[in-house]
Amino acid sequence: MRFLSLRLFLGLSGVLLWTSWVQAQNTPRSLADQVKAIAAEHHGDVALFAENLKTHETVAISPDMPVQTASVIKLTILYEALEQVRSGKAHFEDKITLTKADQVQGSGVLLFFDAPLSLTLKDVLTMMVVMSDNSATNLAIDHLGIENIDARIAKLGLKDTYLYKKVFTPPPAGVVMPPDQKKFGLGKTTAREMATVMTKIVRCELAEPGSPAQADDPKLCQVALKMLHVQFYRSAIPRYLDGMPGATSDSIANKTGSLDAVRNDVAAISTKNGMVIISVFTFNNKDHSWGAEQEGELTIAKLARAIIQSWSPEGLAAWPDASSKDVPSAK
C-alpha cells in the first residue's frame, strides 16, 4: 500500500508540475519583457520610448540616454518651420535657390539636379522629410536659422536635444562647436524627447503654453503630416505594421535616421485603440550594411510590431481628421 501510495503521490506531483509548466509556457509575457528580449538579441544598443496617447500606457528602454539623431533631428527643423509660418516669419511659398555649393552627399536627390534651381520652402521641407534629402535640409536650416531651431528646441523643454550644424558641412568660420559635438555628429536627442517632438506635431501643439490656438493651426499641421505619411523609408517601424489589419496609406507618420552604426525611427501610428508614438534608436550596431535585412532596422521593426500587437491587437486605423478626439490634447 505504501508503495502504491508513493507511486500515486509521485504521479500526481508529476501531473501538477507538467500542468504548471504548460501554463507558464502559455502565459503571454508582458510587453516590457518582450521588448527587453528583442533588445537583448540585438547586436548593439537600443533606446526606446513608446506611448499610447489614448490610454497613457508606456514602455521604455533607456529612454533618457542621449543618442545620435542622424536624420531624425530633421523633425525639429520641420517643427520650427511650422512655427515660423504660423507667426508670419516664413511662408511655404518662400523662394529658395539651390546652388552647386548647396549640393551635399548622402541621402536625397537634389545632389543630382542641375543648379541653380528655384524651390519653395514647402518643396525643401518635403524633400527633407520624404527623402531625408541632405541638400534640402541645409537649405531649410539656412532659411529658418539654426539658432532659431535650437532656441525652439530649448523652449520646448528638451534638455538633451540639439542641432549642431548643417549636414556634411563644416561649422562656419569662428563658430565653436559644443564639446560633445564630435560624439553625436549632426545632432543629439533622447528617445523620450524625440517622441515629444512627434507628439506635438501629431497633436498640433503650436501655441505657447497658455496661449490660444489659431484657426489655421490644423491646416499647418496637416501639411507636415502629409509629408510624414509619404515617408520613403519604410523598412523600420512600418515594415510589419503596413500589413496589419486596418492599415491604410496614412496610418503611419514617421521619420528615420541612419548612419553606418546607427538606425533610428520615430513614428506616430493610428491604431484601433488610439494614437501610438514609437521612438526607437539603435546605435553601436555591429551590422553596418545597407541592405533590406539590416539588423538595426529589423530590431526596430520587431519592437514596433510587439508594441502594436500588445496595445492594439485589432490592428491599425485610418488617420483621424483634425477635429477628431482620437488624438487627445496634452492640455
Side-chain angles (χ1 to χ4, degrees):
M1 288 292 292
R2 290 179 180 177
F3 179 70
L4 290 175
S5 297
L6 180 61
R7 289 186 63 184
L8 179 61
F9 171 76
L10 292 174
L12 288 173
S13 297
V15 170
L16 290 172
L17 287 172
W18 172 257
T19 302
S20 298
W21 183 84
V22 170
Q23 289 176 340
Q25 299 307 305
N26 291 334
T27 300
R29 289 184 296 176
S30 70
L31 177 58
D33 288 340
Q34 290 181 58
V35 299
K36 287 177 183 177
I38 294 169
E41 293 176 353
H42 178 67
H43 295 90
D45 297 311
V46 175
L48 160 73
F49 181 79
E51 180 180 7
N52 184 312
L53 300 183
K54 178 181 178 181
T55 66
H56 303 295
E57 295 170 277
T58 63
V59 65
I61 299 172
S62 303
D64 301 312
M65 175 187 294
V67 293
Q68 288 178 280
T69 62
S71 290
V72 167
I73 195 66
K74 295 170 185 178
L75 277 175
T76 64
I77 301 172
L78 178 63
Y79 184 87
E80 173 61 15
L82 295 178
E83 290 283 16
Q84 290 200 24
V85 171
R86 184 176 189 266
S87 66
K89 294 179 181 178
H91 306 83
F92 285 135
E93 300 78 19
D94 288 348
K95 295 296 183 181
I96 299 175
T97 301
L98 172 76
T99 68
K100 287 187 177 297
D102 297 315
Q103 294 173 308
V104 295
Q105 60 185 319
S107 56
V109 296
L110 286 183
L111 170 63
F112 308 107
F113 284 22
D114 291 335
L117 176 67
S118 180
L119 302 162
T120 66
L121 176 58
K122 186 178 178 183
D123 292 335
V124 165
L125 294 172
T126 300
M127 294 297 292
M128 178 185 76
V129 174
V130 178
M131 298 294 298
S132 203
D133 194 293
N134 290 333
S135 301
T137 301
N138 288 348
L139 292 175
I141 291 173
D142 282 339
H143 194 74
L144 301 171
I146 193 167
E147 67 285 350
N148 294 326
I149 297 165
D150 281 320
R152 183 70 59 187
I153 290 169
K155 188 175 289 188
L156 292 175
L158 308 180
K159 301 183 183 302
D160 288 303
T161 300
Y162 198 83
L163 171 64
Y164 294 100
K165 63 185 190 67
K166 296 198 297 184
V167 190
F168 290 122
T169 303
V175 174
V176 178
M177 288 285 100
D180 60 359
Q181 187 273 327
K182 288 185 178 180
K183 176 181 179 181
F184 294 104
L186 178 63
K188 72 174 178 180
T189 192
T190 70
R192 190 193 305 271
E193 289 192 352
M194 201 50 65
T196 296
V197 177
M198 180 63 85
T199 299
K200 286 189 172 293
I201 294 173
V202 168
R203 286 175 165 164
C204 202
E205 293 176 352
L206 303 179
E208 299 288 338
S211 301
Q214 296 179 4
D216 287 338
D217 284 356
K219 291 182 181 179
L220 278 178
C221 294
Q222 285 302 313
V223 171
L225 286 169
K226 184 175 181 180
M227 298 174 189
L228 293 164
H229 284 313
V230 294
Q231 171 63 238
F232 178 77
Y233 300 104
R234 305 188 66 80
S235 55
I237 287 177
R239 179 186 289 253
Y240 301 128
L241 305 188
D242 278 338
M244 284 189 170
T248 68
S249 60
D250 66 353
S251 292
I252 302 171
N254 74 301
K255 181 70 194 80
T256 61
S258 302
L259 299 168
D260 284 343
V262 170
R263 291 295 189 280
N264 307 327
D265 203 355
V266 179
I269 303 105
S270 180
T271 79
K272 299 289 187 182
N273 193 34
M275 187 67 64
V276 173
I277 305 294
I278 300 178
S279 176
V280 193
F281 294 77
T282 67
F283 49 103
N284 296 325
N285 297 339
K286 288 187 178 180
D287 183 356
H288 291 189
S289 69
W290 291 86
E293 301 303 307
Q294 207 280 334
E295 188 192 24
E297 294 177 352
L298 285 171
T299 294
I300 294 172
K302 291 173 185 177
L303 289 166
R305 179 174 59 186
I307 291 166
I308 298 302
Q309 286 179 338
S310 177
W311 287 350
S312 184
E314 299 86 1
L316 306 191
W319 198 267
D321 61 46
S323 62
S324 174
K325 295 182 180 179
D326 288 339
V327 186
S329 171
K331 299 176 184 178

